[in-house]
Amino acid sequence: VDGILEGGASGRIIMRAEDRAILFEVQSRRVLGEITAPKIKNVIWAPDGSKVAIICKYGVVIADRMLEQLCSISDNVRIKSGAWDVSPTGGTANQLFIYTTSNHVKYVLPSGDTGTIRTLDNPLYAMRVVKDQLFCLDRESRPRVVSIDSTEARFKLALANKRYGQVMHMVRHSRLCGRAIVAYLQSKGFPEVALHFVREPRTRFRLALACGNIEAAMESAFALEQQNENEGKESGRDVWGELGCEALRQGNHQVVEMSYQRTKDFDRLSFLYLITGDTEKLRKMLKISNMRQDIMGRYHNALLLGDVTERVQVLEQSGNLPLAYICAVMHGLSDDAERIKIAIETNDGSVEGLLEKIGSGRNGQCLLQPPTPIVRKSNWPTLEVQKTTLEDLSLAQPDPEEEAYNEGGQIDGIAATTEWEEGGFDDAEDVPKSSAIAADDDDYDFGDDGDWGDDLDDLGDLGEQEVPKPPINEMAGLQEVSDDATFQMPAAGRPPAGCWVANSSHAADHIAAGGATSAMQLLNRQIAASDFHVLKDMMIDCYLGSMLSVPGVPGSPGLNMPLLRNDSSGHPGSDSLPRTSVKMKTLINGIKNGYRAFQGGKFNDSKAAFQKVLTQIPLVVTDTKVEGSEMKEMLEICREYITAIRIKSAMADVAQDPVRSTELAAYFSHCNLQPVHLLLALRSAMGVAFKHKNYIAAAGFARRLLELPDMNSERNADLRVKATKVLQKSEQMARNEHELAYDESTSFTIDCEKFTAIKAGTVSIKCPYCGSNYEGDGMKNKVCRTCSFATVGVQTIGLVTGS
């Protein structure tokens, strides 16, 4: 290191070495960036600190604030100085770097474009650049103000930044010209812009072909033809030939026809009339070839028209009598065949054996006819695409900064093109409870209690019009060319699947597009899903449900058509989103099935129904925030019921253990169930506790049971009487026979693995998807026991409900 230069920010410096610059942060004593730059003289930072210009002896290197190289240019003479443009308007601030050499003022852009602005009589040292004024010092340290024209630099910068309105405004009002600008635009892929600068017909013709502008190419071709006629030269066949090739590529056969007529390419013209189905002009081509005494042309046109009589005459007149005889015989022209036979025999010939030479045993001979045209004399169908700003000067809108720059005015800023919507940050409304799943208790009354049994039997003495096309004149002459000879290639579209992946962050949309990998990555990041075998069937259903197969014509495959969910007001184009097969109604029906099985004591069926809903929820796309809240509520319902069913199963395994069975019955009653189901759980828990003489727990269950609203109905009168007696008896005994790890007076959550109480303040982890709790770190990075596919203990953003 042989020098220290400005680092662009507080606490940063640039250390200069022999062939490189190093960005160093002093406080943390670490290297932030490094760039190759030999023989560094100075560094000049942009006013906003976003870029730095490293001035070397024979070059300039532009880099960003972390010293990542943006471009590098070299010069043949020594570079004296440089400065960043700080103009408040024009869009060149912090983007245009002006540097001086011994005899020139030059510019360089971050894109790597460079050029010369003006010459100098004496060396000057740039200090500041504002608009078209360069403030500098001469060798006697006297201040100087030099006028510069940065139009070319601003033009290239606007083109690089895709500010096409400003580009075309400069084309109309600035004096940009020269072969250098035209060559630059061609090299950057903007021949349509260069077309506005060029008036020389041949160059303009090349540019028009490059950008596919058939209309401009035709104008240039006519101008070249007129120019050649005035100079006594032959008309350029190569020009019309190239125009015909480009028009043929675009499907504009009317221009192709005119090009072939100009070049007198009759063979290709005949074939063009064949493929376009223009038989009238094909007959005219037959007459033209007859007038030109073109034997081969006559034969070809007769063959294309299917005119056998003409073909026989051509063969006969050209001296090919045997071929003429064979053709006449095979096509059933008996009179012509007899006449030709006499001519052959007159010339000491014979027709015997002629037909045998072409093979025997061929049946079903028929006339060789061209295919019947279905659509005649119309160009290939093309989309009507509006001219872009780069093609139509009338669409050029002056940039506000460019207007202010040209007028010399100062503007403080440009008004934003979009505004924040009013109320964009308003507080969200309270989300109502799901009306579909929070139904009346009567909805869950499915008759008798099924396999629930009566746990109170052994209590002792307690008992979504077509526009017509203009008519086409099919009798137009050969020299008539339609005025509509313009073609513009439509922009390439995107397949629906590509749009779905780009427009949505929901896993269901990625699955519908066939992006299984990206969908699994989204599910893993959002809800920590890891075991996708559980979700496989639902993912396949989601993929198959997003497409519709429409039968094609006989012998062709069916057409796959995407089903969209945002096409109610018209096709959304590139903003399309797929329709998913699983809806909120599907989830509601699944939960109702789980309720029905739970009420009937069919716990395995109920658990399967709730687990199916758990696998469907991640692949459901909601339309509103209310639906999103309802779906999260369904997720909690599934978790609580699956946990309750698992506890019920565990109770059967420890039926002989009075302590554990009482504890599990207690935890079973603390699951967040519907009131009608909570009644059954409390009845079961009260019976278990009372049987095992745990009277304190039994009294608590009896009180909770009596507090339920359903206990006031007539159908529960007997249960109300039994619960009252259990409460009285328990209050009299007032002791637990066993020591229980259960205290209803303290708040707790249930460990979904061990089925124990997790008291407040105890370290626990959760499933990021269903929210199941687990005490300690024993279940960390393991699959959740409730949902069976999410990894426990991973912090994620949670369930994504909308796209």
Side-chain angles (χ1 to χ4, degrees), residues 247-254 256 272 275-276 375 377-383 469 484 486-487:
L248 187 62
R249 187 183 70 86
Q250 297 185 8
N252 194 332
H253 65 76
Q254 294 174 342
V256 177
L272 176 66
I275 63 175
T276 56
V375 180
K377 296 181 58 179
S378 59
N379 289 335
W380 287 101
T382 56
L383 293 177
K469 295 183 178 180
D484 186 14
T486 303
F487 170 82

Side-chain angles (χ1 to χ4, degrees), residues 480-498:
E480 293 181 3
V481 180
S482 173
D483 293 333
D484 186 14
T486 303
F487 170 82
Q488 184 171 1
M489 186 68 69
R494 297 176 62 188

Side-chain angles (χ1 to χ4, degrees), residues 494-503 513 547 561-562 564 571 573-574 576-578:
R494 297 176 62 188
C499 298
W500 299 346
V501 172
N503 294 338
M547 300 295 288
M561 299 181 63
L564 307 180
H571 196 283
S574 59
S576 65
L577 289 170

Side-chain angles (χ1 to χ4, degrees), residues 440-459:
D440 293 337
D441 293 338
D442 293 340
D443 294 340
Y444 307 113
D445 187 8
F446 300 102
D448 56 15
D449 295 343
D451 295 339
W452 277 93
D454 192 352
D455 300 291
L456 305 180
D457 291 340
D458 300 327
L459 298 183

Side-chain angles (χ1 to χ4, degrees), residues 101-143:
T101 62
S102 300
N103 302 104
H104 294 92
V105 177
K106 300 183 178 182
Y107 70 87
V108 60
L109 301 175
S111 59
D113 296 320
T114 183
T116 301
I117 295 179
R118 59 167 293 169
T119 59
L120 296 175
D121 297 331
N122 298 307
L124 295 175
Y125 299 89
M127 295 288 108
R128 188 177 178 86
V129 181
V130 181
K131 293 188 176 180
D132 285 340
Q133 290 182 327
L134 172 64
F135 298 86
C136 52
L137 298 174
D138 59 14
R139 285 187 169 177
E140 286 75 26
S141 297
R142 291 177 298 187

